[in-house]
Amino acid sequence: MKGIQVEKVGGSYDYVEDIVKPLPGKNQILVKSLVTAINPVEPFMQSTGMLVLSWPIVLGCDASGVVAEVGEGVGKFQVGDKVFGCTRLGHAGYGTFQEFFLMDENLTFKNEGNLSLEEAATVGVGVLTACLGLIRGLKMDLVTKKVDDSSEWVIIIGAAGAVGSFAVQIAHLCGYKVLAACPPNAIELVESLGADATYSHRLPLEDQLKEIALITGGKFLRVFDASAFGAEAGMAALAKHGDPNAKLKYFSTTNDWIPIDPVEGIEIDLVTLGAIGKSGDEHQREVTAEIAAFIPQLEKLLGNGKLKAMEYEVIGAVGFKEVLKALDVYNNRKGSTKKIVVRVADE
């Protein structure tokens, strides 16, 4: 197969044509890759080797395509179905930067036609990470509920990014008032997604805390750091200005590599999307089971338009060499909130 391969830790991204085509096992599907997205996790894995189980490796974990083969026991999908989602990270055969890749049936979204191929490719990593942060980490219920004056606030740091933009939508749909931390040029975007108020994460810490206290009136006990860099502000907000009557407060972050000092009365959760599809320990099995439970509910929200895909930018023409261009654009751009996607093949 054609694809983009990395030979070793820190190695270059290379276009090759000799990748072995994987075969779907039990409860797996083989997907023809049509559109793949670029995420921060690809350069992270390429440069550090973390999450990679063996080398050489084809990266890419967020894509949309069409089912080419189904494995034993698959009932949800048939050949020809359009699908999308997040694949296992660091496993040979699952990388989306190649012509065909594997997906686990219970971890795959079906595209009923309401999303374009490009839109579908923006969803998987962002929406599943957001759900792990909000539903698993902050103990929200994934049940739609109307927001009113009595609703509790939730703070989302990094609200304009791929994870944060889905977190804003999901929290709003679950009945929370959303206070979104974002740069000034993203205020219009996050408000359109459901944020009730915003503040700038670029302010000095004490000024951020004053803004949080003024806006929420202390009526919050949940903070989600979707940026991976908001632990100091999030933990301080909960400790100093969170609901004083709450016996337990919740902080969740996408930063799972830097330890956070514990604070009495605050439960800390580290989001680990890298566990998706893995079963090596109890934590991985729990995360995988929870993701599988999210997907049918998320499919409904995406299907009825209550949950919207990200804005995106298509890089290049059609083909796997365009992934190299997209990675270069990703590594050199600043300030954009649009997801970078590449059309790697025609239908």
Side-chain angles (χ1 to χ4, degrees):
M1 297 188 299
K2 300 174 183 176
I4 304 300
Q5 185 171 269
V6 179
E7 189 70 25
K8 60 182 180 180
V9 178
S12 61
Y13 295 97
D14 300 318
Y15 173 76
V16 297
E17 297 185 349
D18 59 353
I19 301 169
V20 177
K21 184 177 179 180
L23 297 173
K26 187 176 182 181
N27 300 321
Q28 292 181 330
I29 56 176
L30 184 69
V31 179
K32 179 182 178 181
S33 188
L34 297 177
V35 178
T36 189
I38 307 297
N39 287 285
V41 74
E42 280 92 46
F44 173 77
M45 294 167 70
Q46 174 263 345
S47 62
T48 68
M50 293 179 68
L51 300 176
V52 178
L53 299 184
S54 63
W55 300 89
I57 190 70
V58 175
L59 299 176
C61 60
D62 217 0
S64 65
V66 61
V67 177
E69 297 179 33
V70 296
E72 178 187 349
V74 172
K76 180 179 177 179
F77 301 107
Q78 298 178 359
V79 172
D81 285 345
K82 291 182 179 179
V83 296
F84 62 96
C86 175
T87 65
R88 297 189 197 182
L89 280 71
H91 281 248
Y94 287 82
T96 63
F97 295 172
Q98 60 187 19
E99 289 186 86
F100 296 91
F101 61 89
L102 296 170
M103 295 192 80
D104 299 299
E105 178 185 24
N106 63 334
L107 303 175
T108 304
F109 291 83
K110 180 180 281 190
N111 188 350
E112 299 288 4
N114 51 307
L115 296 176
S116 71
L117 289 167
E118 288 78 12
E119 287 174 327
T122 72
V123 173
V125 167
V127 79
L128 293 179
T129 305
C131 276
L132 288 174
L134 298 179
I135 312 306
R136 177 183 172 86
L138 300 190
K139 304 298 188 287
M140 291 184 180
D141 294 319
L142 189 52
V143 177
T144 56
K145 183 180 178 182
K146 188 175 180 180
V147 177
D148 57 34
D149 290 340
S150 66
S151 299
E152 177 190 320
W153 285 92
V154 62
I155 298 170
I156 296 175
I157 302 171
V163 176
S165 62
F166 282 110
V168 170
Q169 294 184 74
I170 293 167
H172 176 76
L173 288 169
C174 291
Y176 290 82
K177 291 181 182 178
V178 177
L179 174 54
C182 65
N185 65 350
I187 290 175
E188 184 177 349
L189 169 65
V190 299
E191 287 182 343
S192 74
L193 297 174
D196 297 273
T198 64
Y199 72 95
S200 175
H201 65 285
R202 295 175 180 170
L203 292 171
L205 178 59
E206 287 304 317
D207 291 339
Q208 291 184 53
L209 296 178
K210 289 177 183 178
E211 286 282 296
I212 291 169
L214 179 65
I215 293 168
T216 66
K219 192 179 179 180
F220 72 96
L221 50 87
R222 293 173 169 86
V223 176
F224 176 40
D225 169 29
S227 72
F229 300 103
E232 183 182 14
M235 291 291 288
L238 286 167
K240 296 181 179 182
H241 301 295
D243 185 349
N245 298 315
K247 293 182 179 179
L248 192 60
K249 303 168 190 175
Y250 303 94
F251 177 75
S252 183
T253 178
T254 54
N255 184 342
D256 66 345
W257 60 92
I258 298 178
I260 299 173
D261 292 333
V263 174
E264 185 177 355
I266 300 178
E267 183 175 300
I268 299 170
D269 176 76
L270 309 181
V271 177
T272 52
L273 184 65
I276 185 171
K278 298 176 182 177
S279 58
D281 57 45
E282 186 61 29
H283 173 75
Q284 292 176 342
R285 291 190 290 272
E286 285 181 2
V287 170
T288 296
E290 290 182 6
I291 290 172
F294 298 152
I295 287 178
Q297 297 163 283
L298 294 171
E299 284 177 326
K300 292 178 182 178
L301 293 172
L302 289 161
N304 61 26
K306 291 183 178 180
L307 190 60
K308 295 178 173 58
M310 288 186 66
E311 295 182 347
Y312 61 87
E313 178 184 358
V314 179
I315 300 298
V318 178
F320 284 93
K321 291 182 180 179
E322 307 305 302
V323 173
L324 299 174
K325 297 178 184 177
L327 287 164
D328 187 58
V329 170
Y330 177 85
N331 288 327
N332 289 286
R333 76 171 183 173
K334 296 179 180 179
S336 177
T337 57
K338 293 183 179 180
K339 189 97 164 190
I340 291 178
V341 300
V342 183
R343 172 73 78 136
V344 292
D346 292 317
E347 292 185 58

